[in-house]
Amino acid sequence: MTDVPADALTAPRRSLRQRLSNPALLLLPAFAFLAFIYVQPLIDLMMTSVEGEPWYADLARVFSTPLYFDSLIRTMQIALTVALLCALFGYPAALLIQRTRGVTQMLVATAIILPYFIAILIRTYAWMVLLGRNGPINKVAVWLGIFDEPLGLLFNRGAVLLGMTAVLLPIMVLSIYSSLTRVDPALKRAAMANGAGPLAAFWRVLLPLTLPGVGAGFLLVFVQALGFFITPTLLGGPGDMMFAMHITQQADSVTGEGFLQALAVVLLVITLVTVAIAGRLLGFEFIWGGTRASPAPKPAKAVERTPRRGLSATVADTVGWPLLRMVSGLQARWGAWTVRLMGGFIVAMLVIPIVVVMIISFSKASYLTFPPPAYSLRWYEKFFSDSNWMDAFWNSLGIACLSAGISVSLGATAAMGIVRSTIKYKSTVMLLLVSPMIVPPVVLGLSLYSLFLKFELVGTYLGLAAAHSIGGIPIVVVIVAAALQGVDRQLEQGAAVHGASPLTVFRTVTLPAIAPGLGAAVFFAFLHSFDELVLTLFLSSPRMKTLPLMLWGDINYQLNPVLAVVSTLEVLLVVGGIILARPVLTRRAGAN
């Protein structure tokens, strides 16, 4: 009988152990969760939209009905305009952050980025206060003699564009600033050393190198604006209805299935097509702030051909240089002051509405007016003594804590699986995990409603927390993955070589290193759930009120300073969280 080596007997067991210790397995919980509560409902939504006879009947009705087709065209026009406005004003704001130093840079960056973390509902409410008949803009204009009497600045297209631009502008600034930080300063100095003026150096060096950042920000803003619902509802008029608003309005009135789902599918397909085109041009990494990997250099050929001129170079030569010659006599300080003035205007536009709301929260008046005739804490007393508001607050707090727990448990393990595994197509896996960031919330809310009815999750803590965690998981994955990439792998390998198990290595080496990032992920997942309104509108019940739902109801029916109190408390919550998360944010900015 042939002797079998002992190593051969233990090989299968060791192979199985190695397979079970593969970090890629950490992706399974997040994928299973998202497949059940995110992918499956969207597939069911699409299937329901084509169940008519013929299958395209409901979809064709969307495009053949003028009300919905015109709304679709209007939505794309508004989204495009907002993206252009954000690019126009976002670039000088990003330059202002880059060109300042020390405490000034920190203050400017905080003033621009901080509003991004405040709920859209609160920022929109701030503009309602600012543009109201008793608001500061009308009062200042009348005092200066520009108007004879207060004008109706609300409920028109201009208010919608202003509000949406102010809400989405930080996304553009962050995208452009991230691109600016990756530009080597020596390139601009070399251009100026060779005789190029400041404007020429900007046009031929800085702007072309940062165009990918501008493009990524433009597309992110455009995609986000397509599904906007809150801001146009509160600031616009009957002629400013966007497509997502029709979905929310029809959800309560349409009893037959098919057409309502077709409305949602049309919005979803347009969004996905836009993202697909953007991914083809820029790489899908633009969604989560990453950069496309540089292609491998091609081997040199025996005969070099003259490189073809790109479109950007042709435009720069035919359009840019004549313009630069016209303004070549301007000194460099003109450009510097342009950046300061426009950047300062952007800072004021983002910060002043929030400051005005915080001041109004201390008003003694029983109606919204600025400046307040007298100051008092009466509205704070009313908020804390009102059982409806406090019940809504505790509901939001409990749901947000549960949602943050789900998001961090699944998102952190998924981030570990992506960063520490050797699987192929990591960008594709990352795209699947962060894809909820690009799906319009109204589409996601409508798709979840049928699933939640089936499992009796409508209006429950667990149901709302699970729904909110669909958007929380991408936030956690992006933050924790960035933190993991900053951990020295040699420390982990050294601990493993000395006999530490994978769990011990994680507990003693990896976890302490990513603790700041994990803390930031917990806070932002909590804040995302605490502020969530659109999904809650679809999945809540009359007995389950959250703070955003209470705000939404009061803003639509009555405007009083209690809303300013809630807004002020949330701003303080965000500021406190940003201070706690500052170490990881600073580390990530330095890594970029």
Side-chain angles (χ1 to χ4, degrees):
M1 185 173 179
T2 306
D3 294 333
V4 179
D7 292 344
L9 294 174
T10 60
R13 182 178 299 174
R14 185 169 61 249
S15 176
L16 179 61
R17 187 182 302 116
Q18 290 174 350
R19 291 176 183 176
L20 292 177
S21 63
N22 187 349
L25 294 177
L26 295 173
L27 291 165
L28 293 180
F31 274 120
F33 176 81
L34 291 176
F36 172 73
I37 202 172
Y38 165 60
V39 177
Q40 177 190 337
L42 288 178
I43 294 176
D44 290 342
L45 182 78
M46 295 181 182
M47 297 298 294
T48 305
S49 69
V50 294
E51 286 181 350
E53 290 293 340
W55 64 268
Y56 55 84
D58 289 319
L59 294 173
R61 181 183 166 193
V62 175
F63 293 98
S64 61
T65 305
L67 174 66
Y68 302 112
F69 182 75
D70 292 346
S71 177
L72 186 61
I73 299 300
R74 184 187 310 118
T75 296
M76 299 184 70
Q77 290 174 342
I78 291 176
L80 182 62
T81 304
V82 169
L84 289 171
L85 289 173
C86 286
L88 176 64
F89 292 105
Y91 207 107
L95 280 175
L96 183 64
I97 298 176
Q98 187 211 25
R99 293 181 180 182
T100 51
R101 293 293 181 269
V103 177
T104 303
Q105 184 182 53
M106 182 189 70
L107 292 176
V108 172
T110 301
I112 293 175
I113 297 172
L114 176 63
Y116 177 69
F117 301 106
I118 299 173
I120 293 176
L121 180 58
I122 289 177
R123 285 183 280 169
T124 304
Y125 166 69
W127 279 106
M128 293 179 70
V129 173
L130 213 63
L131 297 174
R133 285 189 171 273
N134 291 319
I137 293 181
N138 261 317
K139 287 192 173 183
V140 171
V142 171
W143 180 70
L144 293 176
I146 300 176
F147 307 147
D148 293 331
E149 59 182 14
L151 298 181
L153 301 179
L154 288 172
F155 314 124
N156 54 63
R157 181 66 57 85
V160 172
L161 294 176
L162 177 61
M164 290 180 62
T165 301
V167 167
L168 295 172
L169 187 60
I171 298 177
M172 179 68 75
V173 175
L174 285 170
S175 180
I176 297 176
Y177 177 70
S178 177
S179 184
L180 285 170
T181 57
R182 289 193 284 264
V183 176
D184 187 354
L187 296 175
K188 185 178 179 180
R189 291 196 297 266
M192 297 184 68
N194 283 276
L199 291 175
F202 169 79
W203 184 263
R204 293 307 302 267
V205 178
L206 190 60
L207 183 60
L209 291 176
T210 55
L211 278 180
V214 177
F218 182 93
L219 290 165
L220 282 173
V221 170
F222 180 78
V223 169
Q224 293 283 333
L226 284 176
F228 248 55
F229 154 66
I230 297 171
T231 304
T233 300
L234 297 178
L235 299 182
D240 304 308
M241 286 194 65
M242 297 183 67
F243 202 73
M245 297 167 63
H246 287 290
I247 298 175
T248 57
Q249 289 185 357
Q250 294 293 327
D252 292 331
S253 59
V254 175
T255 56
E257 291 188 345
F259 180 65
L260 177 59
Q261 285 75 10
L263 288 173
V265 167
V266 168
L267 182 59
L268 177 62
V269 169
I270 291 175
T271 302
L272 294 180
V273 168
T274 303
V275 172
I277 296 174
R280 182 69 179 85
L281 298 175
L282 298 173
F284 289 102
E285 293 82 0
F286 83 93
I287 298 174
W288 61 88
T291 55
R292 172 185 271 179
S294 301
K298 297 181 180 180
K301 297 181 180 180
V303 179
E304 293 289 342
R305 296 181 178 179
T306 304
R308 297 175 61 185
R309 290 178 55 79
L311 178 62
S312 60
T314 303
V315 173
D317 284 341
T318 57
V319 179
W321 282 119
L323 292 176
L324 289 175
R325 292 190 187 98
M326 292 175 59
V327 296
S328 59
L330 296 177
Q331 299 180 4
R333 62 181 182 181
W334 286 92
W337 276 106
T338 300
V339 169
R340 291 171 187 170
L341 291 175
M342 292 190 68
F345 173 75
I346 296 304
V347 170
M349 187 175 73
L350 294 175
V351 173
I352 288 179
I354 298 173
V355 173
V356 168
V357 168
M358 294 179 72
I359 294 174
I360 287 178
S361 70
F362 296 96
S363 175
K364 194 175 182 178
S366 57
Y367 57 93
L368 286 180
T369 182
F370 188 90
Y375 294 91
S376 170
L377 294 175
R378 60 175 292 195
W379 297 109
Y380 283 87
E381 295 176 2
K382 180 175 176 56
F383 172 76
F384 287 108
S385 62
D386 191 320
S387 60
N388 291 326
W389 281 109
M390 295 311 298
D391 288 344
F393 170 78
W394 290 116
N395 286 337
S396 292
L397 188 64
I399 293 169
C401 288
L402 183 56
S403 177
I406 298 173
S407 300
V408 172
S409 300
L410 298 177
T413 53
M416 192 80 180
I418 290 178
V419 176
R420 291 294 182 257
S421 67
T422 56
I423 59 174
K424 296 181 180 179
Y425 310 112
K426 286 190 177 182
S427 293
T428 303
V429 174
M430 189 72 169
L431 175 62
L432 293 174
L433 288 171
V434 303
S435 60
M437 298 172 63
I438 61 175
V439 175
V442 292
V443 176
L444 186 57
L446 182 62
S447 68
L448 286 173
Y449 183 71
S450 298
L451 178 69
F452 276 39
L453 277 180
K454 185 185 302 182
F455 290 93
E456 298 182 352
L457 291 173
V458 174
T460 64
Y461 268 51
L462 180 60
L464 289 174
H468 294 178
S469 62
I470 297 174
I473 289 174
I475 298 172
V476 175
V477 169
V478 171
I479 295 176
V480 176
L484 282 168
Q485 289 171 350
V487 178
D488 189 354
R489 292 296 303 273
Q490 293 182 352
L491 296 177
E492 297 175 330
Q493 294 169 356
V497 166
H498 286 82
S501 65
L503 184 60
T504 303
V505 172
F506 175 78
R507 179 174 55 84
T508 60
V509 178
T510 309
L511 185 59
I514 67 171
L518 202 59
V522 171
F523 169 73
F524 289 121
F526 170 87
L527 191 64
H528 169 78
S529 175
F530 195 81
D531 292 338
E532 177 58 53
L533 171 62
V534 180
L535 294 183
T536 311
L537 281 171
F538 282 91
L539 306 175
S540 185
S541 67
R543 294 176 297 176
M544 173 66 72
K545 292 290 186 180
T546 63
L547 205 57
L549 275 180
M550 288 287 292
L551 272 170
W552 177 253
D554 273 29
I555 287 177
N556 277 283
Y557 296 106
Q558 60 176 340
L559 286 174
N560 61 59
V562 174
L563 307 179
V565 171
V566 179
S567 303
T568 301
L569 294 176
E570 176 155 344
V571 170
L572 295 178
L573 173 66
V574 172
V575 171
I578 294 294
I579 293 174
L580 294 176
R582 184 183 169 190
V584 68
L585 295 176
T586 304
R587 183 184 303 176
R588 190 177 178 197
N592 289 336

